Amino acid sequence: MNISNSSVVAGSSCMKKGDLERLISQGRRRVVIENVEPEIDGGRYPVKRVVGETVQVSADMFTDGHDAIACRLYFRKVNEKKWRTQRMEHLDNDRWGASFRVEETGCYEYTLAGWVDAFGTWRRDLKKKVDANQDVSVELLAGALLIEKTMTLALKSDKPAFLQWTAKLREETNLTKRYAYARDEELLQLMSQYQERTIITRYEKQLMISVDRERARYSTWYEMFPRSCSSEPGQHGTFADCETWLPYIADMGFDVLYLPPIFPIGESHRKGKNNTTTAQTSDTGSPWAIGSEKGGHMSIHSELGTLEDFRQLIKKVREYNMEVALDMAFQCSPDHPYVKQHPEWFYWRPDGTVQYAENPPKKYQDIYPLAFDSPDWRSLWEELKSIVVFWIEQGINIFR
């Protein structure tokens, strides 16, 4: 764009006040950053990794003309004040890449930056001229000037090193040695540390990484109904009965013991065998019909045992290098305390009854879905969060 041509501005119907100055400012940032990977849905969602994995980051980064560019990857754990940085390497064409390891669970963030590399351009072009057997005495003096300019940004302790390098480029009589000095990696590292980057392009997004433990990536689940674990036919099983099955489950290679809801089961509209609407006295109901007068999502079905018995099962499972996963179904039976205490958390039909769960033609009269979009949604969500926190405090780290 020729910014001196007023017709460019006048002819743009979308140009707003200050846009020209902003375009000029952005135009001085000559490096373009595009096609960053990994980036999920434009950065809307975090990338997922597990502890110890390496995050490979790459992007198309280029500039106008023939100048060399330098690129850096910046990363840190969320809430860390300082960014850690890694120099990006040229991969191919306009592609640059770098990597870092995630060492802890939690959230990390990363972003990129690029700038025109004056010293890198000088080194590259110097080599081309030497390879073409051209006289590079003037170019070596130009390099000395670049070093002197960068020295003004250096710490006092590093200034002697800058002076030594400028002296070598100016005073060495052997042209071959002067060229070798110019290409020295130690000089490159020194210049990279301090090279002026006042006109820098920063990627406009700070991308997120959610880091979890390895079992979040892959695990093998064994589903067990505790009430079916009794050694005596027809007798309701307990958490203690489950413990006798653990050697068998672990020997098969499973590392997660998955339990259906262990909460009190409702009696109203309890289903019988094969989803019949009339339950027999011996029918124990669906564990997913959660809640009775004995409690809701933070209570234990009494026939399974006590909360202390459940903690003991969790402890025993860990001795076999396994973990307990708990089915956290956010739904209620008609007998759940929430139905009376918070009727606003449910869907009500025109006839004054609560809407039960359906998957036409199937009907689940023993289950009431929660109205997550309730006008009182905030208190509902806070309550559901408290349920998850409660079971985490008991030792559960995996939920379905």
Side-chain angles (χ1 to χ4, degrees):
M1 176 184 290
N2 180 1
I3 62 175
S4 65
N5 188 342
S6 60
S7 64
V8 174
V9 179
S12 176
S13 60
C14 297
M15 190 72 72
K16 297 178 182 179
K17 184 178 180 180
D19 281 355
L20 180 59
E21 289 76 10
R22 188 159 48 251
L23 284 172
I24 294 172
S25 175
Q26 292 174 351
R28 296 185 70 220
R29 300 187 185 105
R30 294 170 53 199
V31 173
V32 177
I33 303 175
E34 296 179 337
N35 301 322
V36 176
E37 292 182 352
E39 179 180 312
I40 299 178
D41 200 5
R44 183 180 181 185
Y45 300 105
V47 176
K48 292 185 178 182
R49 294 291 185 273
V50 300
V51 172
E53 284 189 327
T54 298
V55 181
Q56 301 281 351
V57 181
S58 62
D60 292 333
M61 305 177 76
F62 56 90
T63 187
D64 59 282
H66 299 284
D67 288 324
I69 64 173
C71 314
R72 279 200 172 272
L73 166 67
Y74 294 86
F75 62 96
R76 65 185 176 186
K77 194 169 184 185
V78 169
N79 298 326
E80 286 183 348
K81 292 184 178 180
K82 293 184 178 180
W83 289 94
R84 287 174 269 178
T85 181
Q86 180 71 37
R87 180 181 176 183
M88 300 184 75
E89 301 294 334
H90 182 251
L91 302 178
D92 60 69
N93 199 13
D94 294 325
R95 202 74 180 163
W96 293 73
S99 64
F100 65 97
R101 283 171 58 87
V102 286
E103 304 290 352
E104 303 175 41
T105 57
C107 294
Y108 285 72
E109 56 186 347
Y110 62 99
T111 190
L112 310 172
W115 58 93
V116 172
D117 183 1
F119 188 71
T121 302
W122 173 77
R123 288 179 88 242
R124 182 201 63 194
D125 292 347
L126 179 67
K127 183 178 185 303
K128 289 180 179 179
K129 292 180 179 181
V130 169
D131 291 344
N133 295 316
Q134 295 181 6
D135 179 13
V136 294
S137 55
V138 174
E139 282 73 14
L140 291 169
L141 292 176
L145 290 174
L146 274 175
I147 297 171
E148 289 173 344
K149 180 181 178 181
T150 305
M151 182 175 64
T152 62
L153 306 172
L155 295 173
K156 185 177 180 180
S157 58
D158 285 332
K159 288 185 184 295
F162 279 93
L163 292 172
Q164 291 175 5
W165 286 110
T166 55
K168 288 178 179 179
L169 292 186
R170 288 182 184 279
E171 299 170 9
E172 174 59 55
T173 57
N174 187 308
L175 195 60
T176 301
K177 286 185 178 181
R178 288 172 70 189
Y179 173 66
Y181 293 147
R183 298 288 298 177
D184 194 286
E185 284 296 316
E186 186 177 334
L187 172 60
L188 176 61
Q189 292 300 321
L190 186 66
M191 291 291 287
S192 297
Q193 183 178 354
Y194 290 108
Q195 188 175 198
E196 188 173 7
R197 299 194 294 268
T198 54
I199 305 176
I200 185 172
T201 299
R202 295 188 180 277
Y203 192 49
E204 66 272 16
K205 303 171 187 174
Q206 293 181 11
L207 302 171
M208 302 297 296
I209 306 175
S210 176
V211 181
D212 214 323
R213 56 205 180 100
E214 188 175 13
R215 237 162 236 191
R217 179 180 63 185
Y218 177 81
S219 55
T220 52
W221 290 30
Y222 184 92
E223 182 176 10
M224 171 190 282
F225 279 67
R227 69 187 186 189
S228 301
C229 291
S230 174
S231 58
E232 298 183 27
Q235 182 171 321
H236 197 290
T238 66
F239 293 134
D241 293 326
C242 294
E243 294 181 20
T244 64
W245 287 78
L246 298 181
Y248 167 72
I249 297 169
D251 188 58
M252 289 190 291
F254 291 94
D255 53 23
V256 173
L257 175 64
Y258 160 51
L259 304 180
I262 59 173
F263 321 120
I265 299 173
E267 295 185 10
S268 297
H269 302 291
R270 178 175 286 189
K271 294 299 185 73
K273 295 177 181 179
N274 299 318
N275 204 37
T276 57
T277 55
T278 303
Q280 303 299 317
T281 305
S282 58
D283 289 331
T284 53
S286 168
W288 284 271
I290 299 169
S292 73
E293 61 180 13
K294 296 180 180 179
H297 284 75
M298 288 187 271
S299 301
I300 296 283
H301 186 59
S302 59
E303 292 185 82
L304 294 175
T306 65
L307 185 59
E308 184 55 40
D309 294 333
F310 184 59
R311 293 196 194 102
Q312 175 60 32
L313 173 62
I314 294 173
K315 180 180 178 182
K316 197 69 176 179
V317 168
R318 288 175 177 168
E319 292 178 7
Y320 289 89
N321 195 30
M322 296 190 296
E323 293 185 45
V324 174
L326 184 59
D327 193 312
M328 185 55 65
F330 284 146
Q331 58 196 35
C332 302
S333 84
D335 303 321
H336 197 294
Y338 289 164
V339 178
K340 290 183 178 180
Q341 296 170 0
H342 296 281
E344 70 277 9
W345 289 355
F346 298 89
Y347 296 103
W348 289 81
R349 293 153 55 101
D351 62 359
T353 60
V354 179
Q355 175 64 59
Y356 53 77
E358 292 185 89
N359 184 16
K362 296 180 181 178
K363 297 182 178 183
Y364 304 96
Q365 296 90 338
D366 56 339
I367 294 174
Y368 286 174
L370 286 164
F372 298 111
D373 55 353
S374 162
D376 192 34
W377 64 269
R378 189 177 297 277
S379 61
L380 170 60
W381 291 17
E382 288 292 340
E383 177 68 13
L384 300 181
K385 175 185 174 183
S386 72
I387 294 171
V388 175
V389 171
F390 174 81
W391 290 108
I392 291 174
E393 291 171 347
Q394 312 314 312
I396 297 297
N397 293 322
I398 305 174
F399 296 90
R400 174 189 179 275

